[in-house]
Amino acid sequence: VEVHVKQQAWIATHRQHAFGAKVCAVAIASLLEILGRKGYLRDALVVITADHGEHLGERGTFGHGNSVDEPALRVPLLFLSYGYQPAALAARRMAAQVDIAPTILAELGMPIPATWVGQPLQHPGPAPFSFFQQGAKVGLIDHRQPGGPWKYWINARTSDEHAYDLGADPAESRN
């Protein structure tokens, strides 16, 4: 019975997520159509992103806001250029949300404030670190390792520390 309940929850979550993705795609298409009709897309950069990823049953977890596992940290990010040829983004570059604003400024040819942590995605090579936080869970991903990134985080409430070799353990099952 328990397996059946979990399977039902998984199916319901995936259906809800698929429906949400369809609604989002329709809303974005509608918005772009309106902007195009009004002439705002003749020379424009449109950025579409989200503030979090989503668990769809990985490790028995559903939703968001409850972990710093990779499914919750993976965020959609789209750059759509209209009316001009954009600068190429670096191939296979891991991005963080702090990289979005510097990428936009670099695309517009504007200076990036020295106080900003993020790096433009047009620059080759990964930033050495990506930072993340969800509630009391704070950490970083170290991209400097040749075998793959390492992820470190601490729960500031409990002092529990975690370290994962994401190249060898992408499911974060061995701390």
Side-chain angles (χ1 to χ4, degrees):
V1 173
E2 182 179 327
V3 171
H4 181 69
V5 170
K6 286 183 180 180
Q7 184 180 26
Q8 291 293 342
W10 185 88
I11 290 169
T13 299
H14 278 266
R15 283 184 181 157
Q16 181 181 14
H17 186 265
F19 177 74
K22 287 178 185 177
V23 168
C24 183
V26 168
I28 291 169
S30 176
L31 176 62
L32 291 173
E33 192 273 323
I34 291 168
L35 292 172
R37 203 170 358 118
K38 292 186 175 200
Y40 295 133
L41 296 180
R42 281 187 275 249
D43 185 20
L45 174 66
V46 176
V47 181
I48 301 169
T49 190
D51 62 338
H52 56 75
E54 192 82 13
H55 276 280
L56 298 175
E58 302 87 357
R59 294 189 188 179
T61 303
F62 295 92
H64 61 272
N66 49 13
S67 82
V68 291
D69 296 335
E70 287 301 293
L73 296 181
R74 300 283 177 171
V75 177
L77 176 60
L78 297 164
F79 291 94
L80 306 172
S81 63
Y82 292 88
Y84 75 99
Q85 182 63 42
L89 300 181
R92 299 182 54 89
R93 171 98 164 20
M94 180 69 77
Q97 288 179 322
V98 295
D99 298 327
I100 296 171
T103 300
I104 293 169
L105 290 183
E107 187 67 23
L108 299 174
M110 298 174 67
I112 299 166
T115 56
W116 286 11
V117 176
Q119 298 293 315
L121 298 177
Q122 296 91 334
H123 291 181
F129 302 100
S130 298
F131 304 94
F132 58 87
Q133 179 176 358
Q134 175 60 51
K137 299 171 183 173
V138 181
L140 62 85
I141 298 174
D142 183 346
H143 301 282
R144 300 173 301 166
Q145 305 303 317
W150 275 80
K151 180 176 182 179
Y152 306 94
W153 64 272
I154 185 169
N155 184 323
R157 285 195 189 107
T158 65
S159 297
D160 289 340
E161 295 183 51
H162 300 262
Y164 301 99
D165 177 353
L166 295 178
D169 182 22
E172 302 173 58
S173 59
R174 297 181 300 273
N175 182 17

